[in-house]
Amino acid sequence: MDPRKVAELKGFVQLCESNPSILHLPELSFFRTWVQSMGATIPSPPKTGDTCKGCPCGPPPTSATCPDPEPLQPSESEESEIEIDKDGVIEPDTDDPQEMGECENVEVTEEMMDQANEKKMEAINALGEGDLQKALDLFTEAIKLNPCVAIMYAKRASVFIQMQKPNAAIRDCNRAISINPDSAQPYKWRGKAHRLLGHWEEAARDLATACKLDYDEDASTMLKEVQPKANKIVEHRRKYQRKKEEKEVQEKQERIKKAREEHARAQRQEEEARQAGGGFFPGAAGFAGGMPPGMPGIGEFLKDPELLNAMKDPEVMAAFQDVAQTPANIAKYQNNPKVMALVNKLSSKFGAQPQP
């Protein structure tokens, strides 16, 4: 058995004696498992803080205290409120939905059509007189008589706009568009309703559609008012999305960097453990690269008081150091019973032939 390897093994044992917590290092997990499988008992790890003091894996002792964590700064990518002039924006109406006629499975006679047209004309006259509630009621009667005419709903929506009830107007315009999506009037009044609610993008979209289907000076004027506000919102959203994507890319890069650093650190620890393992578990007695699985000796070695006491002897230690540097010098100690007794006992435990 190579005395140099034995000396290294002895040094590891002494280190474990002076600081048993080293056995709980992650890179020595394989050693803990094997030693325990041999019947040895390993002391429980000491209860410490974030780092283990006095341990090679921990930082050197210091009296400095940890700095207080810096306060979190708001992220620039967080979407902020955009400042837009809300002049003319009103609170949404919360009335119950108005009466809607049934367009499906309904038969409208010519007499019903005539009556509906009469109600519509009366409603228009009421609007001219400024009686909005009367006009609203008359348009509702006309809708119930002939519920499949898109312009009826658009006309009633115009009354709701004048009554400052944009949500009701939107419901009427939705019905009108479902009946005739090529009619400009429902888009115009729905665009005005969205403008009252401060829905700038929806307002710009509906007013632009109305002008495309049938140019209207009133709709065009309002479109010129809401379009810049809608564009500002769109640009703000694009800026927020761009910052969000940049943040995600940065976080991904940081995760990759951290993962690489962790991988490199794990490789370094593995290399250190392998180098340490090459000293603690030498290829003794012809076992190149370490001892075979299940080979006894280490568990018994850690529990053998005779071996441990012998290795505390300065004379024995000096002999081991000498032989570790020059293996041929073992011949000088052939007549030293203390040294040779320990060498032979270690050799027998590792399966090597005793020294003559």
Side-chain angles (χ1 to χ4, degrees):
M1 180 176 181
D2 188 348
R4 182 176 54 185
K5 301 299 184 181
V6 175
E8 292 176 348
L9 179 59
K10 180 243 182 195
F12 170 63
V13 173
Q14 288 183 328
L15 178 61
C16 292
E17 283 185 311
S18 62
N19 185 13
S21 62
I22 196 174
L23 294 172
H24 294 279
L25 289 175
E27 54 266 32
L28 292 180
S29 60
F30 72 98
F31 179 54
R32 290 195 306 273
T33 302
W34 186 75
V35 169
Q36 290 171 339
S37 70
M38 300 300 297
T41 301
I42 297 178
S44 300
K47 295 181 179 179
T48 61
D50 293 337
T51 59
C52 43
K53 300 179 180 179
C55 173
C57 69
T62 175
S63 59
T65 58
C66 295
D68 295 334
E70 296 182 0
L72 293 176
Q73 298 295 329
S75 171
E76 293 183 359
S77 63
E78 292 180 358
E79 189 170 13
S80 58
E81 289 292 335
I82 184 172
E83 295 183 2
I84 294 181
D85 181 16
K86 295 185 178 180
D87 184 37
V89 176
I90 64 174
E91 291 294 324
D93 51 302
T94 57
D95 296 344
D96 292 335
Q98 62 270 31
E99 290 186 82
M100 297 282 186
E102 287 292 337
C103 289
E104 298 180 0
N105 301 323
V106 61
E107 182 178 352
V108 180
T109 64
E110 291 187 5
E111 180 181 0
M112 294 170 65
M113 292 182 185
D114 292 339
Q115 291 176 355
N117 286 331
E118 291 177 4
K119 295 294 182 181
K120 182 182 72 171
M121 295 307 298
E122 292 179 18
I124 293 173
N125 292 333
L127 275 178
E129 297 171 357
D131 192 340
L132 297 180
Q133 186 60 52
K134 181 178 180 181
L136 184 65
D137 294 338
L138 289 168
F139 276 127
T140 300
E141 292 181 23
I143 286 173
K144 290 193 292 185
L145 287 167
N146 191 1
C148 299
V149 179
I151 195 63
M152 291 288 193
Y153 295 96
K155 290 292 186 182
R156 189 170 69 173
S158 70
V159 179
F160 279 128
I161 292 294
Q162 296 182 62
M163 298 176 71
Q164 302 285 280
K165 295 184 177 182
N167 280 329
I170 290 173
R171 287 192 291 268
D172 268 352
C173 292
N174 290 342
R175 173 58 68 87
I177 292 171
S178 69
I179 295 172
N180 183 8
D182 296 325
S183 176
Q185 287 296 307
Y187 291 103
K188 171 185 174 179
W189 295 112
R190 192 170 70 176
K192 289 192 172 188
H194 281 306
R195 188 260 175 267
L196 286 175
L197 293 169
H199 301 164
W200 308 112
E201 291 177 276
E202 293 85 349
R205 185 163 50 247
D206 280 342
L207 292 170
T209 302
C211 291
K212 182 179 179 180
L213 291 171
D214 185 9
Y215 181 79
D216 182 276
E217 188 67 30
D218 184 31
S220 178
T221 300
M222 183 167 287
L223 177 60
K224 292 177 182 178
E225 175 196 352
V226 303
Q227 189 67 66
K229 298 178 181 180
N231 292 343
K232 188 175 182 180
I233 294 173
V234 171
E235 181 59 29
H236 177 77
R237 187 181 298 114
R238 287 176 180 170
K239 183 178 179 181
Y240 164 73
Q241 185 63 29
R242 184 169 60 252
K243 287 187 175 182
K244 181 181 178 182
E245 292 173 355
E246 290 173 355
K247 181 182 178 182
E248 290 175 351
V249 170
Q250 182 180 3
E251 290 176 346
K252 182 178 180 181
Q253 292 175 343
E254 290 177 354
R255 288 195 300 270
I256 293 174
K257 180 181 178 182
K258 184 177 180 181
R260 288 175 176 172
E261 291 175 350
E262 290 291 334
H263 179 66
R265 184 167 64 87
Q267 286 185 324
R268 288 196 301 271
Q269 292 178 345
E270 182 180 351
E271 180 63 23
E272 292 171 0
R274 184 165 56 249
Q275 292 175 357
F280 300 146
F281 309 106
F287 298 120
M291 297 179 296
M295 181 176 182
I298 291 298
E300 298 176 9
F301 180 85
L302 294 175
K303 297 187 294 182
D304 192 325
E306 183 180 348
L307 290 176
L308 296 178
N309 289 331
M311 296 187 75
K312 292 179 181 179
D313 189 323
E315 181 183 355
V316 175
M317 277 301 301
F320 271 126
Q321 293 296 331
D322 182 24
V323 174
Q325 294 177 0
T326 309
N329 286 349
I330 193 172
K332 296 193 306 182
Y333 304 99
Q334 293 293 326
N335 297 324
N336 188 322
K338 292 192 295 183
V339 174
M340 296 312 298
L342 182 58
V343 169
N344 288 330
K345 188 162 188 177
L346 287 173
S347 298
S348 65
K349 284 186 175 292
F350 285 102
Q353 294 294 327
Q355 295 291 328

